[in-house]
C-alpha cells in the first residue's frame, strides 16, 4: 500500500549530455497500476530502475509513501520487481527462488513455506515447486518471477516488460492475469512496456515518455481521445492515427481536393500558420458507399482482412506520398488497386501545430 | 579411409607414449640395476611388492597428495579473491590483470629458481629482508611449504583467469534481482556467485591437480626433494631411484603404480567436470 512520487527525478548518464530521464514528475496513487510506455530509448526502463534503486537518481527525488529513497539501497526500499528476462536464480528450485526474498528478510521457515505455497497455489505453480527454472516453459518461468514478487507483499511492484518474452497468445492471457492479480492484491504497480496495447489494456493511468520526457499522463481513454501532441496521437492506437501536414484553405484544410473543416477555436489557435497537422484515426474515416463518388479519392495498396473488420492502406489518388489507413467493414470487397472514396468524421479530427506538434485547443 | 590423414599422428602418438609404457611394464618385471651389469633377470611382481612395502614410497605418496591438493586449493582461493577484485571496475584494471597473469607465463624452472634464490634464500632473500633481517632458512626448515609456495604462485593466475571468466559470464540481472529481493553483498556472493562458479571451481581444481601431480621442476630446483625425502613427490622420487640409484626395475614398477593411480583419479575427476559442464550446456 503505497504512494509513489517522482519529483523532478532525472538520470544523467554523461554530464552535459541529454538526460536519459529528464525531470520526471509522476504520482502513482495507492493501489494504482501505472504503465510507462514509449519507444526504445524513451527512458521508461531507466525511470523504473531509478525507482528500484538500480540506477542512481541524479537530480530531483523519488518518494515512496513520503520517504525520499534517493539514498536508500534497493534492498531497503520494500519493492519487488519482475524482470524482462525473469532473472530467476538458475541454481535454485522454484520453491527456493520464491522463498529467496523472504529468506533475505530473515523470515521463519514455517512462514516462508506457507507464503510460497499460497503464492504457488494462486499462480498454478504448486506441482513445479521442486523443479529448477531450466525445466520450465517460458510462461511458467514468467509466473515464478511473478510469484517471487508477490510472496513479499511489498509496497510497490515494478514490472519491466514482463510479457515481452512470451508468445502472442500467452501474452494476452498473462496480461489479463496480471491485471486481475494486481486488482486483487491492491498493490501499487509501475509497469513498463513498449507495447501500447498492453499500456491501454492494463493501465489505470498511462504515462507516455519520449526522449526521457513525460509527454502525457492520463487514463487510456483520455490518451486516446485527447492526445496532447502529435507524438502521443501517433503512438497510442493501432493502427496508428493518420497524421497529415495539410495546407490551410478557407475554414479548414485541404485533403485530396476536399475541404476538411476545422473549428473556429482551432483556426484561431493556428493563427497565420500555412499548414496544420491533422490527425484522423482509421475508424474516423469512412468509405463512401457509392464507391467513387465525392469524397477523398485514394488508391488501395494493401488490404488487411481481420474478419470483424478490415484495414485498408491507401495512398491519395493525386499524391502518392500521402498515405492513409482506413478501417473498413469486415469481409470487404475492396481489393488491391481499387480507387475508394473517403469521408472524414469532422467531429473526430485532431489538430496539432505543424512545427511544435502541440495540440491546438478546440 | 576418411581418417587416413590422421594415421601418422596416431602412429607417432603410439610410438612415443604406448611403446614406452609397454617397455616400462616389461622393465618393472625385471630385477635390473645398472650398477651391477649382468644382474638383469625376470622376477615377476617382486618389484611391486617392494614398492608397497617401501615406507619411503608411502611417505612420498603422502607428500604428493599434500603438495598437489594443498597447492591447488590455496591457488583456487587466492585466484577467487583476485578474480573478484578484477571483476570490479577501476582505473588500470588491464595493467593489473596483465601483471597478475605473468607468473603463469614464466618457465617453471625459472620460477622455481626465483623463489629459491631471490625470495627464500636465508641471507639475501627478499622475504627475510621484508621480515626485518631474519635469517630463516626457509628451504630447509619448511621444504614442502617452500615448494608449494612456488607452485601456488604459478597457478594462482590460471585459477584467477578461469574464475574471472566465470564471473563475467554471470548474468547481471540476477544480481539486480537479488538486490531488489533484499540480498546484501555477502548473500549475493554465497547464494548466487558461488553456485554459478561451481563448475568453474571444479574445472580449475581438476585441471590444476592433473598438472601439479606431475610436478618435477619445482622440487628439483628448490629442494632436490630434501632434506631426506621431506619434500619429494612421486615423480621426483622415481627419478631419484632411476637416475641416481640406477634401479630400473624398481623405478619402472613405481612409475606403473603411479600412472595407474593417476588414471583412476583423473578419470573420476574429469567425469565430474564433464558432467557439470554437460548439464550446463543443456540449460540454455
Amino acid at each position: 500500500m503505497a504512494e509513489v512520487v517522482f519529483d523532478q527525478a532525472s538520470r544523467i548518464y554523461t554530464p552535459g549530455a541529454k538526460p536519459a530521464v529528464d525531470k520526471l514528475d509522476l504520482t502513482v496513487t495507492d493501489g494504482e497500476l501505472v504503465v510507462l510506455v514509449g519507444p526504445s530509448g524513451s527512458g521508461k526502463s531507466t525511470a523504473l530502475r531509478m525507482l528500484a534503486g538500480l540506477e542512481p537518481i541524479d537530480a530531483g527525488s523519488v518518494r515512496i509513501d513520503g520517504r525520499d529513497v534517493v539514498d536508500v539501497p534497493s534492498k531497503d526500499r520494500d519493492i519487488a520487481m519482475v524482470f524482462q528476462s525473469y532473472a530467476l536464480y538458475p541454481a535454485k528450485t522454484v520453491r527456493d527462488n520464491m522463498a529467496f526474498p523472504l529468506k533475505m528478510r530473515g523470515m521463519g521457515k514455517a512462514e516462508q513455506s506457507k507464503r510460497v505455497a499460497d503464492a504457488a497455489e494462486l499462480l498454478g505453480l504448486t506441482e513445479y515447486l521442486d523443479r529448477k527454472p531450466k525445466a520450465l516453459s517460458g510462461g511458467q518461468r514468467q509466473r515464478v518471477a511473478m510469484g517471487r514478487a508477490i510472496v513479499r507483499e511489498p509496497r510497490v511492484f515494478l514490472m519491466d516488460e514482463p510479457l515481452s518474452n512470451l508468445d502472442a497468445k500467452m501474452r494476452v492471457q498473462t496480461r489479463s492475469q496480471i491485471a486481475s492479480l494486481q486488482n486483487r492484491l491492491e498493490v501499487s504497480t509501475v509497469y513498463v512496456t513498449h507495447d501500447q496495447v498492453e499500456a491501454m489494456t492494463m493501465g489505470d493511468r498511462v504515462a507516455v515518455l519520449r526522449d526521457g520526457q513525460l509527454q502525457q499522463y492520463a487514463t487510456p481513454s483520455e490518451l486516446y481521445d485527447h492526445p496532447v501532441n502529435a507524438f502521443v496521437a501517433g503512438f497510442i492506437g493501432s493502427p496508428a492515427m493518420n497524421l497529415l501536414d495539410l495546407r490551410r484553405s478557407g475554414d479548414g484544410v485541404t485533403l485530396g481536393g476536399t475541404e476538411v473543416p476545422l473549428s473556429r477555436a482551432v483556426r484561431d489557435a493556428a493563427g497565420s500558420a500555412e499548414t496544420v497537422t491533422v490527425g484522423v484515426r482509421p475508424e474516423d474515416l469512412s468509405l463512401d458507399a457509392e464507391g467513387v463518388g465525392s469524397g477523398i479519392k485514394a488508391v488501395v495498396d494493401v488490404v488487411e482482412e481481420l474478419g470483424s473488420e478490415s484495414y485498408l492502406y491507401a495512398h491519395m489518388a493525386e499524391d502518392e506520398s500521402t498515405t492513409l489507413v482506413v478501417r473498413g467493414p469486415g469481409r470487404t470487397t475492396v481489393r488491391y488497386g481499387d480507387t475508394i472514396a473517403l469521408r472524414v468524421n469532422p467531429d473526430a479530427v485532431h489538430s496539432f501545430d505543424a512545427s511544435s506538434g502541440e495540440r491546438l485547443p478546440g | 579411409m576418411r581418417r587416413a590423414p590422421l594415421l601418422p599422428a596416431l602412429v607417432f602418438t603410439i610410438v612415443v607414449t604406448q611403446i614406452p609404457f609397454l617397455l616400462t611394464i616389461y622393465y618393472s618385471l625385471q630385477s635390473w640395476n645398472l650398477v651391477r651389469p649382468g644382474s638383469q633377470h625376470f622376477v615377476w611382481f617382486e618389484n611391486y611388492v617392494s614398492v608397497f612395502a617401501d615406507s619411503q614410497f608411502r611417505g612420498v605418496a603422502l607428500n604428493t597428495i599434500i603438495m598437489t591438493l594443498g597447492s591447488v586449493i590455496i591457488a583456487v582461493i587466492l585466484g577467487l579473491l583476485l578474480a573478484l577484485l578484477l571483476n570490479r571496475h577501476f582505473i588500470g584494471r588491464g595493467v593489473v590483470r596483465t601483471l597478475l597473469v605473468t607468473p603463469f607465463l614464466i618457465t617453471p624452472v625459472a620460477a622455481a629458481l626465483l623463489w629459491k634464490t631471490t625470495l627464500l634464500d636465508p641471507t639475501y632473500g627478499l622475504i627475510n629482508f621484508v621480515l626485518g633481517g631474519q635469517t630463516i632458512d626457509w628451504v630447509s626448515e619448511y621444504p614442502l611449504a617452500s615448494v608449494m609456495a612456488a607452485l601456488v604462485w604459478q597457478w594462482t593466475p590460471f585459477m584467477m583467469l578461469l574464475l574471472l571468466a566465470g564471473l563475467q559470464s554471470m548474468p547481471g540481472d540476477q544480481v539486480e534481482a537479488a538486490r531488489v529481493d533484499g540480498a546484501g553483498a555477502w548473500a549475493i556472493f554465497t547464494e548466487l556467485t558461488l553456485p554459478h562458479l561451481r563448475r568453474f571451481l571444479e574445472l580449475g581444481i581438476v585441471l590444476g591437480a592433473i598438472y601439479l601431480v606431475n610436478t618435477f621442476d619445482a622440487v628439483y630446483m628448490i629442494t632436490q626433494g630434501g632434506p631426506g625425502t621431506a619434500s619429494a613427490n612421486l615423480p621426483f622420487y622415481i627419478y631419484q631411484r632411476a637416475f641416481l640409484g640406477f634401479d630400473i626395475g624398481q623405478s619402472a614398477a613405481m612409475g606403473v603404480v603411479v600412472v595407474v593411480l593417476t588414471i583412476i583419479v583423473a578419470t573420476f575427476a574429469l567425469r565430474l567436470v564433464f558432467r557439470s559442464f554437460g548439464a550446463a550446456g543443456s540449460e540454455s
Side-chain angles (χ1 to χ4, degrees), chain B residues 117-217:
Chain B
T117 56
T118 316
L119 292 169
L120 295 175
D121 190 275
T123 42
Y124 48 87
L126 283 174
I127 289 183
N128 279 344
F129 174 74
V130 168
L131 292 178
Q134 303 266 356
T135 51
I136 304 168
D137 190 351
W138 297 96
V139 172
S140 40
E141 283 182 50
Y142 310 99
L144 195 57
S146 300
V147 174
M148 283 171 66
L151 295 176
V152 167
W153 182 77
Q154 278 227 290
W155 281 83
T156 299
F158 174 79
M159 303 302 174
M160 180 193 80
L161 281 183
L162 195 71
L163 295 174
L164 185 61
L167 284 174
Q168 294 191 339
S169 72
M170 187 160 168
D173 57 357
Q174 283 172 24
V175 177
E176 289 186 339
R179 280 168 62 193
V180 175
D181 282 345
W186 178 249
I188 290 174
F189 179 69
T190 53
E191 298 273 349
L192 296 184
T193 312
L194 278 185
H196 173 77
L197 286 181
R198 207 192 86 184
R199 54 186 209 251
F200 294 91
L201 289 166
E202 284 172 358
L203 183 69
I205 289 171
V206 170
L207 288 182
I210 289 172
Y211 278 102
L212 283 181
V213 82
N214 291 323
T215 302
F216 180 82
D217 336 42

Side-chain angles (χ1 to χ4, degrees), chain A residues 165-184:
Chain A
N165 287 345
L166 298 178
D167 64 46
K169 194 177 166 200
M170 278 299 290
R171 199 177 305 160
V172 174
Q173 207 179 330
T174 314
R175 194 166 78 195
S176 54
Q177 280 171 355
I178 292 179
S180 73
L181 195 64
Q182 194 271 338
N183 270 329
R184 184 143 39 125

